[in-house]
Amino acid sequence: MNKILKKIINDTKTFANQGKVATYIPELSKMNKNISGIVTIDMNNNIYSAGDTDIKFTIQSMSNIVTLLLALMDHGEKVFDKVGKEPSGDPFNSLKRLTNKNTDKPYNPMINAGSITITSMIKADNKEERIARIINLIKDLTGNDNIEINMDVYNSELKTGDKNRSIAYFLKDKNIIECEVCDVLDTYFKQCSIEIDCFDLANIGATLANDGISTITNKRIIPSKYATIAKAFMFTCGMYDDSGEFAVEVGIPAKSGVSGGIFCAVPNKMGIGVLGPSLDEKGNSIVGIEMLKLLTKEKNLCIFN
Ligand code: GLU
């Protein structure tokens, strides 16, 4: 498997030239667009890797799955009173549907409006407790106790996050979020700035692929039905407004973030974490998608085969 992964890294390197790193969060523009890494973890916790797997980067909207899981564990499926289940087909930070007076809730928990709403629903007495609960669940899902926030990225998001502020104030105006806008945004910017690596991403994927049970400790982290819901959203909405294309071309549940990471949960088979900071116009890692195309073909991972 390590040999296969090494060949995949070599065969996809040049795709980095076709995109660019995210710049709208200035700190993210410092990433080297030519690095790439891939890690897979199977259900027996066999770990395989190739490329730049020692690089740390921020989780960005891949954290939306973690916050969705927390909100589901707090409230059950009442979560969907406030957030829908449908792909939007719009860019992740679009305000378009939110400003429409007939829209009574964000389309799904993966777009920014849905994710900010989900974050507001996580039970906590204050914002410190809320982010601590998110970090603790990431520690459990990754089996990594050294999960921290990258404060440079957090400050960069704070400085440039006006689109997210607009979204949050619309949500507040429509009574979709009930707590203080500033507090919710602080948690949202912090959750996006949590640092992880490809191993952490593969571990999150492996736990979800394994029905919510950690492949490291064999302990249940997530109730089975919520692990299933998470994988469903990854499949339908995880790759921004390219989720349909990815479903047809690759065919596995995956969630992408603008740092260039993608994690995947192939049910009962494996978790995958990839990094490639060069993004396409939708916000997905170009090299990451190419790596996943080759791996899923080689290992016959498409969930419909
Ligand atoms: N922090 C980013 C934002 O709010 C996350 C975007 C993403 O990864 O989809 O714009």
Side-chain angles (χ1 to χ4, degrees):
M1 185 69 162
N2 281 332
K3 251 194 200 157
I4 293 173
L5 297 184
K6 200 161 182 202
K7 181 163 170 21
I8 288 175
I9 288 280
N10 289 335
D11 291 351
T12 53
K13 277 248 173 243
T14 54
F15 284 94
N17 299 330
Q18 295 179 15
K20 38 185 196 292
V21 294
T23 51
Y24 77 102
I25 300 168
E27 199 59 28
L28 293 185
S29 67
K30 294 184 180 166
M31 290 192 76
N32 174 354
K33 83 172 187 176
N34 293 311
I35 55 174
S36 59
I38 183 164
V39 173
T40 69
I41 302 178
D42 69 20
M43 300 299 88
N44 295 318
N45 206 39
N46 294 306
I47 304 171
Y48 304 97
S49 64
D52 304 300
T53 50
D54 53 342
I55 306 275
K56 283 192 182 299
F57 50 99
T58 51
I59 192 166
Q60 294 301 329
S61 65
M62 291 178 279
S63 63
N64 295 358
I65 288 293
V66 178
T67 50
L68 172 65
L69 291 167
L70 265 180
L72 282 167
M73 289 191 280
D74 283 351
H75 304 279
E77 293 185 44
K78 274 191 83 60
V79 163
F80 302 117
D81 292 351
K82 298 253 181 202
V83 182
K85 297 177 187 151
E86 300 303 329
S88 72
D90 293 329
F92 60 91
N93 56 2
S94 172
L95 277 153
K96 201 170 82 191
R97 291 173 196 260
L98 208 55
T99 56
N100 180 337
K101 70 175 182 346
N102 297 323
T103 305
D104 59 348
K105 54 186 173 186
Y107 263 61
N108 66 67
M110 298 298 110
I111 53 172
N112 289 20
S115 169
I116 292 168
T117 305
I118 292 289
T119 296
S120 79
M121 296 172 81
I122 295 171
K123 281 188 185 160
D125 286 338
N126 49 50
K127 61 181 183 178
E128 288 75 24
E129 188 187 341
R130 190 173 287 127
I131 188 67
R133 288 193 65 209
I134 296 169
I135 291 175
N136 282 337
L137 183 54
I138 294 181
K139 286 181 179 173
D140 287 346
L141 287 165
T142 57
N144 179 359
D145 237 13
N146 297 314
I147 297 289
E148 282 172 5
I149 295 169
N150 178 324
M151 292 308 281
D152 293 334
V153 174
Y154 164 69
N155 284 317
S156 195
E157 301 226 16
L158 261 190
K159 262 191 215 141
T160 55
D162 288 333
K163 195 95 182 264
N164 286 321
R165 284 190 187 92
S166 322
I167 290 172
Y169 279 106
F170 264 106
L171 293 167
K172 177 87 174 173
D173 179 60
K174 286 175 179 270
N175 292 321
I176 298 169
I177 61 176
E178 286 164 29
C179 49
E180 280 303 318
V181 167
C182 294
D183 284 1
V184 179
L185 284 170
D186 188 67
T187 309
Y188 176 73
F189 293 140
K190 281 192 177 135
Q191 79 183 55
C192 289
S193 306
I194 292 169
E195 255 183 353
I196 38 85
D197 60 23
C198 287
F199 291 96
D200 297 323
L201 288 182
N203 270 312
I204 299 174
T207 306
L208 291 175
N210 197 29
D211 196 37
I213 297 171
S214 165
T215 56
I216 305 170
T217 61
N218 287 321
K219 279 198 190 128
R220 179 167 291 286
I221 314 284
I222 306 291
S224 170
K225 63 177 174 181
Y226 300 149
T228 300
I229 291 174
K231 281 175 283 197
F233 278 116
M234 288 165 73
F235 195 76
T236 55
C237 315
M239 300 297 288
Y240 303 122
D241 41 333
D242 220 19
S243 299
E245 172 83 13
F246 186 85
V248 171
E249 295 300 326
V250 183
I252 58 175
K255 178 72 189 96
S256 168
V258 292
S259 49
I262 305 173
F263 78 92
C264 313
V266 188
N268 307 313
K269 283 194 180 154
M270 70 171 74
I272 308 168
V274 298
L275 171 67
S278 180
L279 306 181
D280 61 23
E281 72 284 357
K282 305 281 170 85
N284 290 312
S285 166
I286 299 189
V287 172
I289 289 182
E290 293 304 322
M291 288 195 280
L292 292 169
K293 274 185 194 163
L294 294 180
L295 180 65
T296 46
K297 214 166 160 206
E298 174 76 31
K299 290 278 158 193
N300 193 23
L301 297 178
C302 170
I303 61 171
F304 301 110
N305 286 354

